[in-house]
Amino acid sequence: MKRGWTLALRNLRRNRRRNLATAAAIALGYAGLVVLGGYANHIERLLRTNAVYLQHSGHVSVWLEGGFEGAGANPEKLQLDPAAQKKVLDFAARDPRVEFAARYLRGVGLAGNGCTTMPTRILGVEPATLARIVAHPEVQAWSPEISMPVAGRWLDRTPEVAHPAALSVGLAVLLEKPRVRDETRGLPPAPRILDCDTPLQADELGRDADVQLASVTYDGTFNALDTEMVATFHATESLAEESSLLTTLDTVQTLFATDRATWIALFLRDPRQAHAVAADVVAALGKDGLRVEALPYDDERANPYYVGSTAFLGSIVGFITVLVALVLVLTVVGAMTLTILERTREIGTWRALGFQRGHVVALVVRETFLLALAGLAGGLSIGLLVALAVNHAGLRFSPPGVPGSIALLIHPSPWACAAHAALIVPGVCGAAWFVVRGQLRRGLVDLLTSQSG
Amino acid sequence: MVTPATAPLAAEAFVRVEEVHKSYRLGETEVRALRGLSLELSRGEFTALVGASGSGKSTLLNLVGCLDEPDRGRILLDGRDVAHLSDEEKSRTRNRSIGFIFQSFNLVPVLDVFENVELPLLLRDELSPVERRARVEQAIADVGLGEFARQWPDKLSGGQRQRVAIARALVTQPLLVLADEPTANLDSETAAHLIDLMVDLNQKRAVTFLFSTHDEKLMVRVARVVRIRDGVTVES
């Protein structure tokens, strides 16, 4: 049929108030989805950035086979020795999909202040890697706040310190260390031997940033070394806020008297390649006689908080999307039912002039399509304006499971906006199709003699 | 004044209605609108269907126009039994062979005069835009509305609207034009002018016209009058 779009556009000029109300309903529903999708997108990117970069799992973490589960209990046997580390790093250097790779050594020990000790999860990272991670565009874009220390300087900025350590804020509080190294300058030195039972204890402990680490080495002897607290930070998860300590790889290797690494993280240029790279590294190193396991960042074992949170968020967004789509479909069903009823006789006239059922259906669906497009355009504009306003309002909130507060930011994703639109347009057009098909089942004479239109 | 239409241009029956029955339900009541009605129309004939309200005139026009199907009997259009046509073929027949003029004009309010007349031609893929435009302009000129081509229907008088409807019915160059009470909503003078116009077009274009009316004053203007009472023809 010629000029179908023109006719559809003309028809929209009738009942302008109703059509405006319908388009406004679509616009508001879609704006809500744009904002909700923008929030979910921001949170997902934040959690992903935290998991991949700030929790140091990389897009792919490579472990000696059995190491992911057993390295803690049997570190000597299930961690990567220097030869294995070299093979993994060589693979990473050869593969153009890998942006960079980094070695990590993880263990548990005690952190002490001279009076008390606290069980601590110690992670050793190469300072250069930490510098690269903190400056990474992904980190700067999605998690700039969490990537910055709460106080002090990161390990890579304190080359003058032999064994620098960054403590999670909760652990620093437990160890009664309110000041990082830079903040203790000019204070009278703490006594070499502390009297842990006097009221002066807290003041004495806080005058320096010394933290002692103690642990059992891999060969079974006891080892301890002095570190200096150069920074405090918020852990990316609440559960780790009172027990996390980050220090250099050398320091942890010295503490545990080992040259091994627990895992090597591969940071990719494109996160979508994670599964392929994981499979390839296992296969390639397997051929080289090294049996490893590789976990992509979205593997629940590697990042349970990220995977669980995004799945929960996804289901909430999906549920609300379906709900909004249903409301919009019902709105369009109502509006189109009225429209079609009012035009019953006219539809009969179209049919009498030779237009087939399909022509009439196509005309009404085109009208709805145009209405939906107008609504989506309006909704997108409203949604983007709301996002802009929220992003400039400086609102903060405390997401569950994350210590401290973070800025409430909304970053609508083009893909999510397109996906929501792709759901709404067929939904409302289908609703119009349903209504007009029902009306066209009536006999032609019945349509022509209708009193309602 | 236009002289009354006289003899048909060809003798063969172009429309043949054979023993047609049609009933429909009106609430709980079954109305037997046609009870074995038969009728033949020759090509180019100008015929008025006359009868009281409820006599079956509109039902007959609906059946001949492929808008409805008889319960019994046959309707042949140019030799083809319309009962054997699919819904798509009936639509095509209505578009290409039949023109409709309705009592309430049935113009599309969001289209201007030109666009209303052009409407049935939008289904004609074989016509170029230039041919389509020429046909529409000619049809509008034929009904004397050349200067109103870009007017909206609600700005026109009842007589002018019905002229638009006539132009729309004729623009497809149909073989048959069916008009159900085309003058019912018009004053008598306008109604007479409209019938004269239809007669004139009938003579110029050799199109078969069948229209229903209960206005006896119009009878003098037509060559053939078919009277219907209680669903059967009583006089032809």
Side-chain angles (χ1 to χ4, degrees), chain A residues 2-3 10 349 351 353, chain B residues 94-95 106 115 118 132:
Chain A
K2 294 179 177 68
R3 295 174 59 182
R10 289 284 185 84
T349 306
R351 294 276 288 127
L353 294 178
Chain B
R94 285 195 298 270
N95 180 254
N106 290 26
E115 290 163 334
E118 187 188 27
R132 207 164 65 224

Side-chain angles (χ1 to χ4, degrees), chain A residues 78-96:
Chain A
L78 295 176
Q79 295 196 114
L80 298 156
D81 62 25
Q85 291 169 35
K86 184 173 183 311
K87 285 182 180 177
V88 179
L89 292 174
D90 285 348
F91 170 89
R94 282 196 308 270
D95 195 320

Side-chain angles (χ1 to χ4, degrees), chain A residues 120-294:
Chain A
T120 306
R121 301 196 307 180
I122 305 165
L123 179 65
V125 56
E126 291 162 303
T129 298
L130 187 62
R132 191 164 190 174
I133 283 175
V134 170
H136 197 278
E138 284 285 301
V139 175
Q140 288 304 310
W142 298 103
S143 197
E145 287 184 287
I146 297 176
S147 71
M148 298 306 294
V150 173
R153 292 175 286 159
W154 277 128
L155 314 175
D156 59 294
R157 304 282 178 92
T158 54
E160 71 277 16
V161 181
H163 295 300
L167 274 66
S168 56
V169 171
L171 179 62
V173 169
L174 290 174
L175 292 177
E176 297 179 84
K177 293 289 181 184
R179 299 182 186 91
V180 296
R181 183 173 181 271
D182 289 346
E183 293 167 338
T184 61
R185 282 192 194 131
L187 293 176
R192 295 186 69 82
I193 299 171
L194 293 165
D195 185 349
C196 297
D197 297 324
T198 66
L200 290 172
Q201 175 213 351
D203 174 60
E204 290 174 351
L205 288 175
R207 280 190 221 161
D208 64 32
D210 295 346
V211 173
Q212 295 80 45
L213 294 183
S215 185
V216 177
T217 61
Y218 290 174
D219 60 7
T221 59
F222 183 77
N223 195 16
L225 58 83
D226 291 322
T227 66
E228 282 189 87
M229 185 176 74
V230 295
T232 55
F233 64 95
H234 277 307
T236 52
E237 297 174 22
S238 292
L239 289 173
E241 182 67 359
E242 293 184 342
S243 60
S244 293
L245 188 145
L246 187 68
T247 184
T248 63
L249 182 66
D250 285 344
T251 300
V252 186
Q253 286 181 330
T254 303
L255 180 67
F256 292 114
T258 184
D259 53 6
R260 292 174 180 269
T262 313
W263 79 87
I264 292 177
L266 307 181
F267 296 89
L268 307 184
R269 298 178 202 284
D270 181 355
R272 289 171 296 186
Q273 298 286 340
H275 285 261
V277 170
D280 291 349
V281 71
V282 170
L285 296 179
K287 279 183 190 167
D288 205 11
L290 179 64
R291 299 178 67 168
V292 296
E293 55 186 333

Side-chain angles (χ1 to χ4, degrees), chain A residues 1-3 7 10-11 13-14 345-346 349-357 359 444-445 448, chain B residues 62 67-68 87-88 91 94-95 100 102 106 108-111 115 118-119 122-125 132:
Chain A
M1 188 180 101
K2 294 179 177 68
R3 295 174 59 182
L7 288 170
R10 289 284 185 84
N11 277 330
R13 284 163 47 176
R14 314 185 213 203
R345 200 185 301 166
E346 185 181 312
T349 306
W350 286 76
R351 294 276 288 127
L353 294 178
F355 287 81
Q356 292 171 25
R357 285 191 174 93
H359 291 128
L444 232 166
V445 175
L448 279 167
Chain B
N62 290 338
L67 300 175
D68 208 351
D87 189 64
E88 194 176 324
S91 294
R94 285 195 298 270
N95 180 254
F100 291 94
F102 301 98
N106 290 26
V108 180
V110 292
L111 303 180
E115 290 163 334
E118 187 188 27
L119 203 53
L122 296 180
L123 298 173
R124 296 288 189 86
D125 290 332
R132 207 164 65 224

